[in-house]
Amino acid sequence: MRLLHAVVLLSACNFSLSSVGFDIPYSIPEQSIPGDATAHAAGIVIDMPPTTFPINVDIAAQAKANNVSGVISTVTLTSLSFNITKSSGCFDFVNSVSLALSSTKTGTTLQPTVIAAGGNPGCVQTYPLTPTPGANLKPYIDEGASVTMTGQAIPPAADVTFDGAIVLHASL
């Protein structure tokens, strides 16, 4: 019976340790999509040119800043959104968008993985994307990571400038 109590207590301890975590906010640098009034009026859907930006997060420093000791084993994407910055436009030109995370380390064995996607947001100034459930970003961040954004859209009538916000969740 004592052994059973010890196992239950150890299991409870392991459960509480695995649930320790913290959020890491990260800003997406400003991006621009060139406008084309003629193409917009024609309504022709095109593939957006891929856009890449880095994800530079020092997980150990973030853990220390959040008073978390222990080895971080998992980093997941909690949220990702784009925000119009320098125009009165909106995201109604977007048909679909996908963001893939890649390692920047030469010779890596990590394959790119889709971390978020969205489609047809309508005329909104903030466009939330849907994170890919269960994707562990930590191996990519440890090696150095970049995000490549691809998608399909009707070119906006005028230039659209936007930035974004990411929230990562790190846990033991």
Side-chain angles (χ1 to χ4, degrees):
M1 188 66 156
R2 287 184 189 174
L3 179 60
L4 178 60
H5 287 291
V7 169
V8 169
L9 286 173
L10 285 174
S11 296
C13 288
N14 286 338
F15 174 77
S16 66
L17 285 177
S18 66
S19 64
V20 171
F22 54 92
D23 287 341
I24 304 168
Y26 191 82
S27 296
I28 299 171
E30 196 167 68
Q31 313 283 316
S32 291
I33 306 281
D36 184 333
T38 304
H40 181 77
I44 298 170
V45 176
I46 63 167
D47 289 333
M48 295 186 298
T51 303
T52 302
F53 58 88
I55 299 285
N56 296 315
V57 177
D58 183 336
I59 301 296
Q62 290 289 328
K64 185 175 180 179
N66 283 280
N67 297 318
V68 173
S69 60
V71 177
I72 300 300
S73 63
T74 305
V75 176
T76 56
L77 178 64
T78 302
S79 67
L80 188 152
S81 61
F82 296 129
N83 305 294
I84 299 287
T85 57
K86 292 184 180 173
S87 73
S88 60
C90 59
F91 288 105
D92 63 347
F93 63 93
V94 175
N95 284 21
S96 65
V97 67
S98 177
L99 281 82
L101 187 67
S102 300
S103 169
T104 58
K105 180 181 174 185
T106 303
T108 186
T109 59
L110 296 173
Q111 295 299 309
T113 186
V114 174
I115 60 168
N120 296 319
C123 190
V124 296
Q125 297 242 316
T126 298
Y127 178 19
L129 280 79
T130 303
T132 301
N136 185 3
L137 285 56
K138 185 172 184 305
Y140 297 86
I141 293 169
D142 286 348
E143 289 189 0
S146 67
V147 173
T148 301
M149 179 173 52
T150 58
Q152 293 188 324
I154 297 170
D159 294 355
V160 173
T161 304
F162 65 96
D163 62 10
I166 293 175
V167 177
L168 303 170
H169 184 78
S171 56
L172 299 179

